[in-house]
Amino acid sequence: MLRESLLAADDSSSRSRRRPSVLVHTAYLQHVGTKPLVPPAHTGRTAIIMLSLLSTALYAGIIFGWSSFSSLLLEEGFYSADCDTDDPPPCAAMEQSATISFAVGSTTLMLSSLPSGLLVDHAPPSILVASAGSLLFLACFLLGVLPATTPSFFIHIVFALLSGGGQLAFLTAFHAVELIPDHDQCAWFVSVLSGLSSLSAVIPLGFVGLRSLGISRAAIFVAFGALAALICSAWAVLWHIESREAAAERAIAAAAEASSAMHEKYSPTKPKKSRINNGLWDVVRLAPHVPGLLSGLQEEEESDA
């Protein structure tokens, strides 16, 4: 009877927080063997792992395919604003500005590793993925819509955004290691991620091929940015769901541990005096919840009526 009273008091005192009470009750029932406890399904874990690999393959090291990038940009007339009137485009200043863009992008990628790593350690993956997707979409969109006469300073900023977003997505992808059930297989995942980050350097070569087919620069980069937004949006939603399921799983484990402690507390193998003292202390602790218990019983009777 005392166990039933404890559970009823917990339910009535936490009526505004129904889910934790249900978790405690379910864990208790599992402990006494009357009802199995079903953990969260984690149905999105495979999708998170696949999206982590896909985003790494597309965006992580895209800046290192600079030879294809620069040829495409120079053919479009980018950096022409740096040419003098005596040296019309194409000019040597355009090549120099393109080299500076690569230096800015690659340096941003390296320097962003430390702050991105700190964010990965302390921020939720869903927020990190959404931030990476925003940076990637913004950079690709600007590459598609900016006129070729844009000052090179702004183009440098665009490639810094592209590199920073790719690096943030790459480091966040390592969170997926936590979702692999067999920890002996984590090494292959890390190896594949590293390999895909290098493979992303061939993506700009695909841009050149699409441009040679007559597809406009705006269509290529806006579509590539929209793909980044789509991938990261789905990725962020799945991470949010996974975080909620993991929190529920931790709550179930804590409730099961508390239920086990309660069972041990009132175990028949304990001395009778110890069990009586434990019961008295629990009665004192639960006394403030008696009004809530009575009101809960009254509500249940009214609803049954």
Side-chain angles (χ1 to χ4, degrees), residues 108 110-122 128 168 171:
T108 300
M110 300 301 178
L111 294 181
S112 64
S113 298
L114 178 58
S116 296
L118 294 175
L119 288 174
V120 167
D121 288 338
H122 296 92
L128 298 174
L168 182 58
L171 293 179

Side-chain angles (χ1 to χ4, degrees), residues 66 68-79 143 159:
W66 185 252
S68 301
F69 244 136
S70 62
S71 63
L72 175 61
L73 296 177
L74 292 175
E75 288 178 5
E76 292 289 323
F78 275 82
Y79 308 109
L143 282 176
F159 281 104

Side-chain angles (χ1 to χ4, degrees), residues 6-25 285-286 288-293 295-296 299:
L6 291 172
L7 290 172
D10 174 75
D11 182 72
S12 62
S13 63
S14 305
R15 188 167 297 276
S16 62
R17 296 179 287 109
R18 173 65 63 180
R19 189 175 181 183
S21 297
V22 171
L23 292 177
V24 172
H25 184 62
R285 180 174 59 85
L286 294 172
H289 303 297
V290 172
L293 173 62
S295 63
E299 290 177 6

Side-chain angles (χ1 to χ4, degrees), residues 73 78-79 101 143 146 150-160:
L73 296 177
F78 275 82
Y79 308 109
S101 287
L143 282 176
L146 285 178
T150 301
S152 58
F153 173 77
F154 295 103
I155 303 174
H156 302 334
I157 294 177
V158 169
F159 281 104

Side-chain angles (χ1 to χ4, degrees), residues 86-201:
D86 299 335
D87 189 11
C91 62
M94 294 173 64
E95 292 280 355
Q96 295 175 358
S97 297
T99 303
I100 294 175
S101 287
F102 171 70
V104 170
S106 58
T107 303
T108 300
L109 187 145
M110 300 301 178
L111 294 181
S112 64
S113 298
L114 178 58
S116 296
L118 294 175
L119 288 174
V120 167
D121 288 338
H122 296 92
S126 57
I127 301 298
L128 298 174
V129 169
S131 301
S134 300
L135 291 175
L136 291 171
F137 173 76
L138 178 61
C140 293
F141 179 79
L142 291 176
L143 282 176
V145 301
L146 285 178
T149 55
T150 301
S152 58
F153 173 77
F154 295 103
I155 303 174
H156 302 334
I157 294 177
V158 169
F159 281 104
L161 295 175
L162 183 64
S163 299
Q167 182 72 347
L168 182 58
F170 173 60
L171 293 179
T172 306
F174 282 95
H175 263 301
V177 174
E178 306 167 3
L179 308 182
I180 299 177
D182 187 359
H183 294 292
D184 294 335
Q185 299 180 0
C186 293
W188 74 263
F189 180 78
V190 174
S191 300
V192 170
L193 273 182
S194 301
L196 290 177
S197 66
S198 301
L199 183 64
S200 61

Side-chain angles (χ1 to χ4, degrees), residues 6 23-24 27-28 31 250-266:
L6 291 172
L23 292 177
V24 172
Y28 174 78
H31 181 74
R250 290 192 296 269
I252 289 174
E257 184 179 354
S259 176
S260 178
M262 182 185 296
H263 180 76
E264 178 66 23
K265 194 174 185 180
Y266 298 104

